[in-house]
Amino acid sequence: MKARKIVEEMDSYVPGRSQDEIASDFNLKKEDIIKLGSNENPWGPSPKAMKAIEDEIKSINRYPESQLHELVSEIAEYSGVKDSQVIIGGDGADEIIDVLAKTFIDDGDEFIVPLPSYMYYEYLLKQYGAKPVYAKWDLDENKLDVESIYNSITSKTRMIFLCSPNNPTGTLIDKEILIDIARKNPDILIIIDEAYFEYSEVTNKDLINEYDNIFIIRTMSKVLGLAGMRIGYGLACEEIIEYMHRIKPVFSLTRLSFVAALNTFRDKEYIEDSIKKGIESRQYLHDELSKIDGLKVFPSKSNFMLIGIKDTGFTASQLALELVKRGIIVRDCTSFKGLDEYWIRISICTLEEDKKFINVFKEVLN
């Protein structure tokens, strides 16, 4: 059976290795492995979410809710928007991106991604015949190269993806820049990825009331501690949301994901605590890593930070291997377009795990 041409040309998306694989390959105990590679919440999910999942298990023989009104209202309240400005997706924020592509992309359209950034945008949109055009982040100044965005726009540009805080640099984009891009390009959808906005304590959600070409992506996989439940949501003007609901799968959220999400949003204390501990962990890691000679540590507004290691004598793959042998998982950023082989990314952990990582990291470098 012959696949579509674009499918034959694509490479499969390769996620990070599992803890089980690493434990087996390096003769480690799974429970001793410290994960700093996936930008997760290391303190676990909300206890209220776990209790709700336990109570709901008896109902998994029934189809889930299709309209999700109760959860939509919780998200709208959390985000400070109207119910009609919210769309919810399963498979994390990735389904939201996929529905955006199905709704607004035609074969031959172009979309802009400044490099380095989250590469799944490209992976999803190319499936629908869209062509990526690369702008760039200024790594010397640690900020978006705005002119590279404007220089990349053509008559075929349909979307611009702007991740803020950006993955993997941790950089925020100034709101005035976002406004300028949206205002000057009313026929282009400006997609602002706010997957990590809670850690930055900055949001651009108010812009959806002023610009009908701005779409904000969010996820429950970070601060909200539900990476394993795969829940994402989007915020935009009512017209965009209505179009997307025509395309979105009806039952993309399971019954367990629904109750987990609902009860997480209602657990205000858990959310506040997760943000507080995450920022404390980020600050500790930045302070300690900044004391180590040979590292270029990017300040971050997210739950991760980018580290240049060129002066250490290691490549990213070499350093990541030495660390994983000792039970520490970091992200080798060699696969990120726009970065060379001398960058790693680490994410927050508990302070106890942070301290162990710092000690092991120094040991490897020495």
Side-chain angles (χ1 to χ4, degrees):
M1 179 64 69
K2 186 175 177 61
R4 292 167 54 218
K5 183 174 183 292
I6 186 63
V7 176
E8 290 185 333
E9 293 173 351
M10 288 179 65
D11 294 323
S12 297
Y13 185 82
V14 181
R17 299 170 70 198
S18 71
Q19 285 175 284
D20 288 317
E21 290 175 315
I22 289 169
S24 175
D25 289 350
F26 297 101
N27 195 28
L28 300 168
K29 293 181 180 179
K30 181 179 176 181
E31 59 269 23
D32 292 338
I33 295 173
I34 297 176
K35 290 187 69 179
L36 294 97
S38 300
N39 303 345
E40 298 158 332
N41 182 332
W43 295 280
S46 159
K48 292 182 180 179
M50 289 190 285
K51 178 63 166 58
I53 291 170
E54 183 181 337
D55 293 342
E56 188 67 18
I57 285 176
K58 63 182 180 296
S59 299
I60 60 173
N61 61 311
R62 304 296 183 186
Y63 281 105
E65 298 293 327
S66 59
Q67 299 302 314
L68 307 175
H69 292 307
E70 199 174 3
L71 181 55
V72 165
S73 292
E74 287 291 339
I75 291 174
E77 181 182 350
Y78 179 74
S79 304
V81 302
K82 295 185 290 187
D83 289 15
S84 57
Q85 295 174 311
V86 175
I87 186 169
I88 303 171
D91 195 22
D94 295 341
E95 183 181 281
I96 298 295
I97 301 169
D98 188 65
V99 174
L100 279 168
K102 289 177 180 176
T103 307
F104 296 107
I105 288 292
D106 284 317
D107 188 29
D109 284 343
E110 295 178 352
F111 62 97
I112 296 171
V113 181
L115 300 180
S117 193
Y118 183 51
M119 294 311 300
Y120 213 70
Y121 309 135
E122 177 177 342
Y123 178 76
L124 287 172
L125 266 68
K126 284 176 70 175
Q127 298 174 31
Y128 300 100
K131 176 186 174 183
V133 177
Y134 302 121
K136 66 179 181 179
W137 292 86
D138 185 333
L139 293 177
D140 292 327
E141 297 292 331
N142 193 20
K143 65 180 183 180
L144 177 67
D145 183 334
V146 182
E147 285 306 309
S148 74
I149 297 288
Y150 290 125
N151 292 338
S152 301
I153 294 172
T154 73
S155 60
K156 295 182 179 181
T157 304
R158 192 70 168 140
M159 296 181 179
I160 301 174
F161 286 90
L162 298 170
C163 191
S164 183
N166 184 49
N167 180 10
T169 63
T171 316
L172 279 170
I173 304 173
D174 187 84
K175 182 172 288 190
E176 293 305 314
I177 291 173
L178 297 171
I179 290 172
D180 193 59
I181 294 172
R183 181 174 54 80
K184 290 178 178 177
N185 301 280
D187 296 326
I188 298 174
L189 191 57
I190 313 302
I191 301 169
I192 305 170
D193 189 339
E194 289 192 348
Y196 305 94
F197 86 96
E198 289 101 338
Y199 293 109
S200 71
E201 301 178 290
V202 173
T203 177
N204 299 283
K205 58 92 179 175
D206 55 300
L207 298 184
I208 67 172
N209 293 317
E210 301 176 45
Y211 300 92
D212 60 8
N213 63 328
I214 284 182
F215 187 95
I216 292 177
I217 300 173
R218 290 183 177 175
T219 180
M220 295 192 73
S221 297
K222 312 305 178 186
V223 156
L224 301 176
L226 293 178
M229 301 302 286
R230 312 305 300 130
I231 308 159
Y233 63 99
L235 311 174
C237 70
E238 295 174 5
E239 182 182 30
I240 288 177
I241 298 299
E242 196 278 325
Y243 280 139
M244 292 176 69
H245 271 126
R246 300 180 190 181
I247 299 296
K248 178 187 171 294
V250 176
F251 296 117
S252 64
L253 217 60
T254 69
R255 295 190 73 95
L256 301 186
S257 294
F258 174 78
V259 297
L262 194 64
N263 285 276
T264 297
F265 279 117
R266 290 173 175 172
D267 194 347
K268 310 300 184 189
E269 183 179 348
Y270 165 80
I271 296 172
E272 291 173 5
D273 190 52
S274 289
I275 295 171
K276 180 175 178 290
K277 289 191 292 191
I279 291 174
E280 287 176 352
S281 174
R282 179 183 71 198
Q283 191 62 52
Y284 173 83
L285 287 169
H286 182 271
D287 290 347
E288 293 302 310
L289 290 166
S290 296
K291 298 173 185 175
I292 300 175
D293 291 338
L295 300 182
K296 181 177 182 178
V297 185
F298 276 37
S300 174
K301 290 293 185 179
S302 188
N303 70 341
F304 58 81
M305 63 194 67
L306 184 66
I307 306 170
I309 62 167
K310 192 168 187 178
D311 293 338
T312 66
F314 287 91
T315 64
S317 60
Q318 290 169 342
L319 184 56
L321 177 60
E322 291 304 316
L323 289 169
V324 81
K325 287 178 182 177
R326 295 160 172 81
I328 306 288
I329 303 173
V330 300
R331 179 62 186 266
D332 170 4
C333 291
T334 305
S335 63
F336 276 83
K337 290 179 180 176
L339 294 177
D340 60 22
E341 67 271 31
Y342 297 107
W343 299 89
I344 63 169
R345 190 194 66 198
I346 64 164
S347 53
I348 59 171
C349 276
T350 67
L351 283 177
E352 180 183 355
E353 291 172 325
D354 290 342
K355 291 173 183 176
K356 180 178 178 182
F357 160 69
I358 293 296
N359 289 334
V360 172
F361 194 62
K362 289 178 178 177
E363 173 190 313
V364 170
L365 292 182
N366 290 331

